[in-house]
């Protein structure tokens, strides 16, 4: 049976609906043993649930699936370099957040919880709301007032109770945490079951590359749920003897809101408050990432790095992807702007990146 544990003070807790942080105040991780059986994996449907023995949901009846995952890994060429792009806007709600939501809400279903709260810049709220709708679990989604109207419409369409909060993304988090003292906190940043969904990003890359790991993965980072999921996924594969290395993890932030970039460059172990400016990349506009310490550890352990990209570079990348046939949201274009920077000092490495969100979601802001 899986348990919660705190990497800050070492405390261990049983998995209970009311527990979402350690008594010391830190976020929690999950102790869970994943196994991989390639023969079994190959016999299953092409969804992220094919890695069933590595997902911490005990009973198949608890699983809420819309056939999500196993997204294409497209081979493209950039200035003479081959890059593999994981097309993660092809999820039921139009962003990679469904990886985390399908696993977290399946777990919530298994725990018998009837109501949840979540706060989000938009996409995680859409994903949690959609899976709650499938499970007939009531949900309240808190978002900052400035969230793209299309994401708000999407959250409402799933029947969620949408609460718009005046002020910053940080203010939205504060209001939600207050509600989380009474209602299950289905938080993509705090709840480790979400990371045990996003880790399937690593499993799919491993399978699609012929059961191998790439050298480098370039990812967008706000709260770091994709980066940490990727780290957890490859770590589990390494511990199971399935891959030799964890790829170098390269995080991309918007220069207008780059707390991890600052901490990484200055050699700090934690992020510190930054002066946040407006950015079109709303999904990564996170001034205080809950798991900042953990993100920095994962990047340093894998010999990775953090890049910051300007608003102009984001706009250019968005247009370049459009004429390659990919209509992506600005947050995802930031990743591509970072990828282009990284490619400038790349040698002969196999590199993977991703398109995390569908352009239609933020079309009004473009
Ligand atoms: C499309 C898209 N990409 C990337 C991210 C960044 O995810 P995280 O905050 O978990 O790092 C988000 C977050 O909302 C997003 O919506
Ligand atoms: Zn603790």
């Amino acid at each position: 049976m899986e348990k919660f544990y705190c990497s800050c003070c070492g405390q261990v807790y049983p998995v209970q609906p009311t527990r979402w942080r350690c008594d010391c105040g830190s976020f929690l991780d999950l102790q869970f043993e994943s196994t991989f059986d390639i023969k079994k994996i190959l016999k299953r449907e092409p969804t992220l649930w094919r890695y069933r023995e590595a997902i911490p949901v005990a009973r198949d009846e608890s699983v809420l699936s819309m056939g999500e995952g196993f997204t294409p890994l497209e081979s493209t060429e950039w200035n003479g370099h081959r890059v593999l792009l994981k097309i993660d806007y092809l999820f039921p709600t139009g962003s990679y957040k469904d990886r985390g939501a399908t696993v977290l809400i399946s777990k919530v279903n298994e725990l018998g919880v009837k109501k949840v709260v979540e706060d989000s810049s938009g996409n995680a709220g859409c994903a949690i709301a959609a899976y709650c709708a499938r499970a007939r679990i009531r949900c309240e989604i808190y978002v900052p007032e400035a969230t793209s109207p299309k994401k708000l419409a999407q959250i409402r369409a799933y029947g969620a109770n949408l609460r718009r909060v005046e002020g910053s993304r940080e203010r939205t988090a504060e209001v939600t945490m207050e509600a989380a003292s009474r209602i299950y906190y289905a938080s993509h940043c705090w709840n480790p079951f979400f990371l045990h969904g996003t880790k399937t990003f690593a499993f799919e890359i491993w399978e699609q590359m012929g059961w191998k790991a790439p050298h480098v993965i370039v990812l967008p980072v706000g709260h770091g749920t994709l980066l940490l999921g990727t780290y957890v996924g490859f770590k589990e594969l390494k511990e199971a003897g399935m891959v030799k290395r964890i790829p170098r993890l390269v995080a991309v932030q918007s220069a207008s809101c780059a707390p991890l970039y600052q901490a990484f460059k200055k050699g700090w172990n934690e992020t510190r408050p930054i002066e946040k400016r407006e950015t079109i990349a709303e999904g990564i506009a996170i001034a205080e990432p809950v798991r900042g310490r953990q993100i920095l550890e994962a990047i340093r352990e894998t010999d990775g790095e953090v890049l910051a990209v300007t608003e102009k570079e984001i706009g250019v990348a968005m247009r370049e992807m459009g004429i390659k046939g990919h209509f992506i949201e600005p947050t995802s274009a930031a990743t591509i702007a970072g990828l282009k920077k990284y490619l400038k000092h790349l040698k002969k490495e196999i590199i993977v990146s991703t398109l995390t969100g569908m352009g239609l979601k933020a079309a009004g802001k473009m």
Side-chain angles (χ1 to χ4, degrees):
M1 225 19 206
E2 67 272 357
K3 290 209 165 70
F4 288 141
Y5 80 94
C6 173
S7 59
C8 197
C9 72
Q11 189 64 251
V12 177
Y13 303 94
V15 170
Q16 279 172 347
T18 47
R19 166 72 60 191
W20 61 271
R21 74 186 332 175
C22 182
D23 289 343
C24 80
S26 174
F27 55 83
L28 293 167
D29 289 311
L30 205 62
Q31 276 178 350
F32 170 70
E33 203 170 319
S34 287
T35 59
F36 302 90
D37 182 331
I38 290 179
K39 277 199 197 117
K40 278 191 189 162
I41 293 170
L42 285 171
K43 280 194 197 128
R44 297 191 178 127
E45 295 287 312
T47 81
L48 60 79
W49 288 95
R50 65 205 263 112
Y51 312 102
R52 187 67 187 89
E53 293 78 15
I55 299 179
V57 175
R59 292 186 298 274
D60 285 343
E61 311 82 81
S62 311
V63 172
L64 300 160
S65 175
M66 292 193 254
E68 58 287 295
F70 214 73
T71 54
L73 187 64
E74 183 187 293
S75 179
T76 60
E77 177 128 339
W78 287 85
N79 303 336
H81 295 287
R82 193 166 81 100
V83 176
L84 298 167
L85 273 187
K86 192 101 173 101
I87 316 298
D88 260 20
Y89 64 74
L90 291 177
F91 266 94
T93 77
S95 91
Y96 87 92
K97 302 275 188 185
D98 291 356
R99 291 189 185 278
T102 183
V103 171
L104 169 56
I105 302 303
S106 295
K107 189 69 200 181
V108 167
N109 195 27
E110 182 155 275
L111 292 169
V113 170
K114 299 284 176 244
K115 186 173 178 187
V116 307
V117 285
E118 154 74 323
D119 52 311
S120 151
S121 63
N123 282 336
C126 293
I128 295 290
Y131 285 88
C132 280
R134 301 285 283 207
R136 294 175 190 275
I137 291 168
R138 282 192 296 146
C139 80
E140 279 180 12
I141 307 287
Y142 290 73
V143 295
E145 218 176 20
T147 300
S148 284
K150 300 214 160 49
K151 293 180 188 173
L152 304 180
Q154 194 180 353
I155 292 168
R156 283 201 190 95
Y158 298 128
N161 195 351
L162 179 69
R163 295 184 184 255
R164 294 174 73 190
V165 181
E166 222 175 287
S168 64
R169 172 71 180 86
E170 289 65 43
R171 178 74 197 126
T172 303
E174 278 165 29
V175 175
T176 318
M177 280 188 214
E178 205 280 310
S181 61
R182 305 178 302 277
I183 310 168
Y184 185 94
Y185 197 11
S187 167
H188 62 293
C189 351
W190 288 92
N191 199 311
F193 284 103
F194 197 90
L195 302 183
H196 284 257
T198 54
K199 73 180 180 183
T200 57
F201 181 80
F203 302 160
E204 291 176 20
I205 291 170
W206 165 63
E207 179 172 352
Q208 289 168 319
M209 288 189 55
W211 316 106
K212 287 193 187 76
H215 296 107
V216 186
I217 307 190
V218 179
L219 298 164
V221 175
H223 271 299
T225 64
L226 185 57
L227 184 136
L228 289 171
T230 305
Y231 176 77
V232 171
F234 276 108
K235 192 156 189 255
E236 289 183 354
L237 288 169
K238 189 163 174 248
E239 280 166 4
M242 298 287 162
V243 297
K244 291 204 183 73
R245 60 168 178 262
I246 303 178
R248 192 177 302 151
L249 297 177
V250 176
V252 183
Q253 298 221 282
S254 158
S256 305
C257 182
L260 290 155
Y261 178 77
Q262 172 181 263
F264 185 77
K265 293 290 168 200
K266 301 219 170 180
W268 301 338
N269 292 334
E270 295 270 6
T271 56
R272 295 187 198 168
I274 49 141
E275 206 181 305
K276 175 172 163 178
R277 283 170 280 127
E278 272 280 300
T279 174
I280 191 170
E282 63 182 4
I284 48 174
I286 305 294
E288 295 167 30
V290 166
R291 294 176 181 266
R293 168 176 58 83
Q294 202 169 35
I295 298 168
L296 290 164
E297 274 167 17
I299 293 169
R300 291 197 174 112
E301 192 194 311
T302 61
D303 196 23
E305 66 176 290
V306 187
L307 303 170
V309 295
T310 63
E311 298 299 295
K312 192 170 168 205
E313 288 166 335
I314 295 171
V316 170
M318 198 159 60
R319 283 190 290 279
E320 283 175 351
M321 289 315 292
I323 54 176
K324 282 176 182 277
H326 289 294
F327 183 42
I328 53 174
E329 66 170 286
T331 304
S332 306
T335 322
I336 299 303
L339 171 72
K340 283 166 62 186
K341 272 196 182 159
Y342 187 79
L343 287 177
K344 286 189 184 145
H345 28 238
L346 188 76
K347 295 184 191 94
K348 278 206 170 136
E349 292 170 318
I350 298 175
I351 182 161
V352 172
S353 190
T354 177
L355 304 178
T356 49
M358 169 86 78
L360 289 172
K361 282 172 166 274
K365 279 199 173 176
M366 285 177 195

